[in-house]
Amino acid sequence: MRDAPGNFNLLHRTCSLVVLLCFLHISVTVIYYMRNSDLRQTFVQNQQSPQIHRKLAEQRVTTEESPQRLPSVSNVTETERKLETCPDNPPRLVGPLRVEFSDPVTLDLVRSENQALQPGGRFKPTECIAQQKVAIIIPFRHRDEHLKYWLYYLHPILQRQQLDYGIYVINQDGEDTFNRAKLLNIGYAEALKEYDYDCFVFSDVDLIPMDDRNFYKCYNQPRHLSVSMDKFGFRLPYAQYFGGVSSLSKEQYLKINGFPNNYWGWGGEDDDIFNRVSSKGMSISRPDGVIGRCRMIRHDRDKQNDPNPQRFDRIAHTRETMASDGISSLTYNVVNIEKDQLFTKITVDVGKP
Ligand code: BGC
């Protein structure tokens, strides 16, 4: 015979085992029920009317990032799959960005991080129809180190901004005096030979925006984007400043006959463009000083780009010269066109002063 405490222990262990078994049984039942209820719901959705079925398919087209991963829906026509125009506030923007130039960056790294690009640095969102077709024009000579950073930072930003864009690096051939504004005119003309762009962003190669809400697109008025540069203590150096990064629609650009072709060397051409814009009754649109912050990559002054001593005189006469000097009088020779995954580089002979 067992004594009383022995019996109590046996009873206690048996009860614990029974409670454990009950708990296990209930858990298995609940899990099984929930899985079946999911299946039931999917079944009910698939049995809904064709209209609802189509609507669900359309929602998937407009919200999913990669159309390649869409399930095939045989009864959805092309028109029904039509994409919506991209929103004013693209959903993947992140706001302020960390921008610095100490990390080593290679073109191969940038290529591997931007595999959605088409040759020539072209991109189009797949989830919606871009609001604008934007050609980004970069005047260039011997600045490969800066171009790497520009591409590294800008491609992801432009893609988050859901733009239909292409990058055009306009490389001045030879070692004669640099002509920034003429290179910009050439970029405009060459980009239009390739695609029906309606907006043109003109950017120096060493300027990187610090906030992706600074849209690289066009507005009702010509836009100045680099309004708050670190080089100038994050403020405008003067109210009429229009240098660095700016954008003009095709219509605005043609209204001012493009840019001057005869500013050789550093300075003045951006002031001339400002004069052209205001002489045609347009004003300058700008982002606020926080969104418009940007960093400039520090560098020594380029060779063959000394300050242009004639700039003050030229700026004083923009109104008289702009009708005869501009896109209407542009002449140049294309020396080479290189299509990289990240950009189209067009080497051009711009002539001499
Ligand atoms: C020049 C501009 C230049 C600005 C800021 C002006 O004096 O004419 O071309 O962008 O200074 O450096």
Side-chain angles (χ1 to χ4, degrees):
M1 268 208 30
R2 281 175 173 264
D3 57 0
N7 282 341
F8 177 76
N9 271 345
L10 181 66
L11 187 64
H12 182 249
R13 259 182 276 151
T14 313
C15 285
S16 304
L17 195 66
V18 169
V19 168
L20 188 70
L21 281 173
C22 286
F23 178 73
L24 265 173
H25 179 78
I26 292 170
S27 312
V28 169
T29 313
V30 167
I31 291 171
Y32 184 73
Y33 178 79
M34 285 174 69
R35 289 188 62 186
N36 273 351
S37 120
D38 277 349
L39 284 176
R40 266 199 303 278
Q41 242 180 358
T42 318
F43 177 76
V44 170
Q45 272 182 8
N46 287 341
Q47 296 304 306
Q48 279 166 340
S49 66
Q51 285 92 326
I52 296 180
H53 194 182
R54 269 200 294 274
K55 194 132 198 96
L56 287 169
E58 272 174 22
Q59 277 170 8
R60 283 198 292 268
V61 171
T62 51
T63 53
E64 287 196 8
E65 279 192 20
S66 160
Q68 284 87 335
R69 275 186 266 128
L70 279 177
S72 69
V73 183
S74 54
N75 59 349
V76 175
T77 66
E78 272 314 303
T79 348
E80 285 164 330
R81 273 168 175 268
K82 219 172 146 207
L83 298 174
E84 310 257 330
T85 305
C86 298
D88 289 338
N89 293 309
R92 292 195 307 278
L93 295 185
V94 297
L97 305 166
R98 180 182 146 273
V99 175
E100 57 159 279
F101 309 113
S102 50
D103 302 342
V105 164
T106 64
L107 281 184
D108 279 338
L109 170 79
V110 187
R111 287 185 194 110
S112 72
E113 289 181 352
N114 290 280
Q115 300 201 3
L117 292 175
Q118 300 296 317
R122 299 280 301 274
F123 175 84
K124 216 186 236 205
T126 51
E127 67 277 18
C128 53
I129 298 170
Q131 292 187 4
Q132 297 184 6
K133 291 177 257 175
V134 186
I136 299 178
I137 316 288
I138 302 176
F140 185 89
R141 187 163 67 181
H142 305 319
R143 295 281 201 96
D144 296 276
E145 198 53 30
H146 296 177
L147 182 61
K148 270 191 285 191
Y149 283 107
W150 192 96
L151 298 163
Y152 172 71
Y153 281 113
L154 264 296
H155 271 303
I157 294 176
L158 300 169
Q159 287 164 41
R160 290 201 296 276
Q161 293 185 351
Q162 296 182 317
L163 302 168
D164 176 357
Y165 72 87
I167 308 296
Y168 296 86
V169 176
I170 313 299
N171 179 36
Q172 180 168 331
D173 193 37
E175 303 300 327
D176 287 320
T177 312
F178 197 64
N179 189 329
R180 177 178 182 266
K182 186 165 183 179
L183 292 169
L184 298 178
N185 278 338
I186 296 171
Y188 168 91
E190 289 295 315
L192 274 181
K193 287 182 187 166
E194 206 175 84
Y195 191 47
D196 184 23
Y197 290 107
D198 43 33
C199 171
F200 298 82
V201 173
F202 303 96
S203 174
D204 285 351
V205 69
D206 52 7
L207 279 174
I208 313 292
M210 296 171 71
D211 195 307
D212 62 8
R213 293 167 296 175
N214 193 359
F215 291 103
Y216 275 46
K217 64 177 190 179
C218 291
Y219 290 77
N220 288 342
Q221 301 295 325
R223 179 102 165 161
H224 184 221
L225 289 92
S226 50
V227 298
S228 196
M229 287 163 60
D230 57 350
K231 172 184 168 184
F232 297 127
F234 294 108
R235 58 168 67 91
L236 284 173
Y238 49 96
Q240 299 82 4
Y241 179 60
F242 198 54
V245 190
S246 57
S247 75
L248 284 90
S249 68
K250 188 175 176 187
E251 202 186 329
Q252 291 160 357
Y253 177 91
L254 290 175
K255 201 166 174 181
I256 61 170
N257 190 23
F259 301 159
N261 295 302
N262 60 359
Y263 280 76
W264 299 91
W266 181 89
E269 81 296 339
D270 46 358
D271 304 311
D272 189 290
I273 298 167
F274 177 89
N275 290 345
R276 288 174 182 237
V277 166
S278 49
S279 78
K280 290 290 172 185
M282 294 186 281
S283 54
I284 302 293
S285 127
R286 287 188 168 116
D288 70 45
V290 173
I291 289 181
R293 283 160 72 96
C294 53
R295 277 209 193 290
M296 193 178 132
I297 310 175
R298 300 255 160 227
H299 57 92
D300 299 332
R301 191 177 283 283
D302 299 298
K303 293 188 184 106
Q304 295 305 315
N305 196 21
D306 290 333
N308 171 10
Q310 295 171 349
R311 66 187 189 281
F312 305 107
D313 184 53
R314 292 213 189 284
I315 297 163
H317 295 99
T318 307
R319 282 166 191 263
E320 297 103 80
T321 54
M322 64 183 280
S324 56
D325 175 29
I327 189 68
S328 60
S329 60
L330 178 67
T331 56
Y332 62 98
N333 288 314
V334 173
V335 175
N336 186 44
I337 300 183
E338 174 195 343
K339 288 269 174 204
D340 189 279
Q341 181 190 327
L342 300 171
F343 54 83
T344 300
K345 190 192 236 180
I346 306 180
T347 300
V348 287
D349 176 0
V350 298
K352 293 175 201 229

